[in-house]
Amino acid sequence: MTYADYMALRRFPALDGLRAVAALIVVAFHFGGPTWSWISGWIGVHIFFALSGYLITTLALREEDRRGRLSLRDFYIRRAFRIMPVYFVVLAIYVGTHWLRHEYTASGLAANMTKYLTFMGEYVNVAVAPFAQAWTLGVEQKFYLLWPLLAFVLCAGSFAKRLGLALTTIAVLIITLIPATYNHDSMGVQYLPIVTGALMAVILHNPRGFALLSWLTKPAVSAVGLLVFIGIHLSVEPVFLWLSNGVVSFNDTYLIIIPTYGFFAALLIPMLLGPGIGQWLLTRKPMVFIGERSYSLYLIQGVAGTVVISTVPNLQSWPYLQWPAVALFSLILADVLYRTVEQPMIGVGRRLLTWLKARSAAKAAPEVTEAKPRETAQASA
């Protein structure tokens, strides 16, 4: 793949397929039990993080190229209509199901509602409250809030400044200055895969940076790289057990594994952009279908699991069947959410942006009209 080929890409379908894999292994982690621990599903969210950092930064860089700057207003509106509607719909479903089961207060949902409503889910003790996956939305929302300000206002138009910003941010996060929470020794480590994905976007957008990494897009290299990444992923569980059993503390194990995994997840991205076995596998229609619905699938899995297990309680004795059943029902619900909430609300966001741009143009039009007589008089003089 050449730099021109890369810049000509308007969609990244293989990354949808990668999202599908990430979503499915997370469901396996939550509903597969010890039988599926080898799949290391818990780390699937860090694939999402790396992809989010890469895609958000790439789209922002390309908008800056087209328009000369990134519109923060447009960016935040697009993010709000992409993330918030389905999040709040699923949160309402959680509230409704727990209310009907008379568990709204006892579950801890009521006590933590303020945090859920303000995207502070990472500060909820997941051991005593449902909707555990909301913690990742808290992390991503803070990235979406701060990164554009730093990378596209403070460092606008400068590859060197953005590169320095990303590397400095990674260094600061490794020091883990962000306070600890109930769930992790430090939330700082959770931002590392996102910023690493953003760093990959900054490098690939620059012609010299792309030239440095273009060899990763060769089919043979991408095939080998995909196998290596699969090997790294499958080694997460045994390495985690080895490290946490006396080598370092349990929480320090996270501080070692997550940054390392995030680095290789970001490195995988260019391998999936060019032609090769990885792109072919991940662009199959079922993978893209699941990937496009992965956000809703990720959010709704808890409700789906409750329904499936309540309906067929014997599935808990069959872990090989339980998580595929939950995943299938989650996908059905996710498809409904995708069609009735996600896509329509994204459309509303686009129409709002169109209206705002038309309004701005209308306000500017009288100034142009008034200027014409003066220009004519000056020309006559």
Side-chain angles (χ1 to χ4, degrees):
M1 174 177 281
T2 66
Y3 179 71
D5 294 333
Y6 172 69
M7 295 302 292
L9 290 176
R10 291 294 173 264
R11 280 188 54 79
F12 308 93
L15 302 189
D16 283 330
L18 189 58
R19 278 199 195 98
V21 173
L24 291 174
I25 64 174
V26 169
V27 177
F29 169 68
H30 287 144
F31 296 98
T35 304
W36 288 92
S37 63
W38 61 273
I39 208 168
S40 301
W42 65 271
I43 209 165
V45 296
H46 299 94
I47 297 176
F48 280 121
F49 284 166
L51 290 175
S52 292
Y54 168 77
L55 289 169
I56 289 302
T57 306
T58 296
L59 294 175
L61 287 166
R62 293 185 176 190
E63 180 180 335
E64 185 183 67
D65 284 351
R66 290 194 309 271
R67 302 178 54 178
R69 66 180 182 85
L70 172 69
S71 170
L72 291 177
R73 181 200 67 183
D74 292 3
F75 176 87
Y76 291 132
I77 288 174
R78 285 194 297 267
R79 287 293 88 202
F81 279 90
R82 172 70 179 90
I83 299 296
M84 292 184 178
V86 71
Y87 173 86
F88 287 123
V89 167
V90 173
L91 179 59
I93 293 172
Y94 269 89
V95 170
T97 54
H98 282 78
W99 187 276
L100 291 173
R101 292 163 62 92
H102 306 289
E103 297 173 349
Y104 178 62
T105 300
S107 67
L109 194 59
N112 291 288
M113 186 52 59
T114 301
K115 292 176 181 176
Y116 286 136
L117 290 172
T118 56
F119 288 92
M120 299 295 288
E122 69 269 42
Y123 294 98
V124 174
N125 186 350
V126 297
V128 297
F131 203 25
Q133 56 269 44
W135 77 267
T136 63
L137 274 296
V139 171
E140 287 199 342
Q141 287 292 70
K142 293 170 185 63
F143 171 79
Y144 296 150
L145 181 65
L146 292 175
W147 181 250
L149 294 172
L150 296 173
F152 293 92
V153 176
L154 184 64
C155 302
S158 173
F159 168 71
K161 287 181 180 179
R162 286 188 184 121
L163 184 64
L165 171 67
L167 292 173
T168 301
T169 304
I170 289 171
V172 170
L173 290 173
I174 288 175
I175 300 172
T176 60
L177 297 178
I178 297 178
T181 69
Y182 287 111
N183 311 315
H184 301 281
D185 186 51
S186 170
M187 286 307 298
V189 72
Q190 306 298 339
Y191 290 86
L192 278 165
I194 308 182
V195 181
T196 306
L199 174 62
M200 179 60 70
V202 170
I203 293 173
L204 291 178
H205 192 75
N206 179 268
R208 292 184 179 179
F210 184 88
L212 185 66
L213 297 179
S214 62
W215 60 277
L216 292 173
T217 66
K218 294 181 179 180
V221 174
S222 64
V224 173
L226 181 62
L227 290 174
V228 170
F229 182 79
I230 292 171
I232 291 170
H233 180 86
L234 294 178
S235 70
V236 166
E237 187 66 15
V239 169
F240 188 94
L241 293 174
W242 173 68
L243 286 174
S244 59
N245 286 334
V247 179
V248 296
S249 71
F250 184 84
N251 282 320
D252 285 343
T253 304
Y254 281 105
L255 302 184
I256 294 170
I257 288 180
I258 291 174
T260 305
Y261 188 88
F263 170 79
F264 284 106
L267 205 60
L268 181 65
I269 292 171
M271 298 180 191
L272 298 176
L273 297 178
I277 185 65
Q279 186 188 78
W280 185 86
L281 288 171
L282 294 173
T283 55
R284 299 305 88 198
K285 287 185 178 179
M287 300 301 293
V288 174
F289 181 88
I290 297 171
E292 289 175 342
R293 291 150 181 79
S294 59
Y295 176 47
S296 289
L297 190 156
Y298 176 76
L299 289 176
I300 201 67
Q301 60 178 298
V303 173
T306 298
V307 172
V308 169
I309 293 170
S310 299
T311 306
V312 191
N314 288 338
L315 272 178
Q316 295 184 74
S317 303
W318 298 87
Y320 284 105
L321 295 178
Q322 179 173 284
W323 88 258
V326 172
L328 179 59
F329 189 52
S330 297
L331 182 60
I332 293 171
L333 296 180
D335 184 56
V336 174
L337 289 169
Y338 179 78
R339 295 174 185 274
T340 62
V341 182
E342 279 195 68
Q343 290 300 296
M345 293 309 297
I346 289 172
V348 171
R350 288 172 179 162
R351 289 193 291 275
L352 174 59
L353 288 176
T354 300
W355 178 78
L356 288 171
K357 290 172 184 176
R359 185 184 177 191
S360 298
K363 284 184 176 181
E367 298 177 8
V368 175
T369 303
E370 293 172 5
K372 285 182 179 178
R374 292 195 294 269
E375 291 169 3
T376 303
Q378 290 170 359
S380 299

